């Protein structure tokens, strides 16, 4: 058997496999570079106190709750910038899935200066990362 007879049917299949794994623009980009059909349903924002904000995010098409956590974080970062603050501190995120829809219920403290604590975010950096990864903000 000639080697080209074996390789020629295999190469197009390999090329298709590589193409199917390539990142795409917009909402289909995941952080690991794979393709997902994420549908960002929306984020509801509730001001609990002057600097305490609740974000309820929902999306479908994800295999894990990490995508909805990232969606809520993107919303929190953009919200902080809109309100004239540069930072936020993550307090908690509860995640659940029902009928294929992931829901994240997150609470953040927003502030003008870097808050104390371990789970702080620089709002400008996070918003930039969200844009690069195709994750919508508020």
């Amino acid at each position: 058997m000639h080697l080209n007879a074996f390789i020629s049917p295999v190469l197009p299949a390999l090329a298709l496999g590589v193409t199917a794994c390539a990142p795409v623009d917009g909402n289909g980009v995941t952080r690991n570079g794979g393709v997902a059909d994420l549908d960002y349903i929306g984020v509801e924002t509730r001001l609990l106190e002057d600097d305490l904000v609740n974000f309820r995010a929902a999306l479908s098409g994800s295999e894990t709750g990490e995508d909805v956590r990232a969606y809520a974080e993107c919303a929190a970062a953009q919200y902080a910038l809109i309100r004239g603050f540069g930072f936020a501190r993550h307090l908690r995120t509860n995640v659940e899935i029902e009928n294929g829809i992931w829901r994240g219920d997150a609470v953040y403290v927003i502030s003008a200066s870097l808050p104390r604590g371990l789970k702080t975010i620089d709002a400008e950096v996070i918003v930039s990362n969200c844009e690069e990864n195709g994750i919508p903000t508020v």
Side-chain angles (χ1 to χ4, degrees):
M1 174 181 230
H2 193 272
L3 186 58
N4 286 340
F6 174 73
I7 293 177
S8 61
V10 174
L11 287 178
L14 288 175
L16 286 175
V18 171
T19 303
C21 294
V24 296
D25 292 332
N27 294 344
V29 177
T30 59
R31 286 177 300 287
N32 64 7
V35 177
D37 292 323
L38 298 180
D39 180 19
Y40 294 94
I41 297 169
V43 177
E44 178 184 331
T45 305
R46 293 182 182 177
L47 185 62
L48 303 174
E49 292 183 24
D50 289 341
D51 62 350
L52 189 64
V53 187
N54 175 234
F55 300 91
R56 294 185 179 187
L59 62 81
S60 63
S62 179
E63 294 183 14
T64 71
E66 290 307 308
D67 290 313
V68 79
R69 289 177 200 274
Y71 188 24
E73 182 178 69
C74 290
Q78 183 65 52
Y79 183 84
L81 293 177
I82 289 170
R83 295 283 311 263
F85 297 104
F87 301 92
R89 180 168 51 102
H90 177 254
L91 297 179
R92 67 138 174 93
T93 302
N94 296 323
V95 175
E96 63 181 33
I97 184 170
E98 184 178 332
N99 298 324
I101 297 177
W102 288 94
R103 298 186 189 284
D105 182 3
V107 176
Y108 284 83
V109 174
I110 57 172
S111 62
S113 60
L114 185 64
R116 293 178 16 180
L118 298 176
K119 298 181 178 182
T120 59
I121 62 173
D122 180 321
E124 287 184 10
V125 171
I126 296 299
V127 167
S128 177
N129 289 342
C130 296
E131 291 171 356
E132 288 176 19
N133 289 308
I135 304 172
T137 57
V138 200

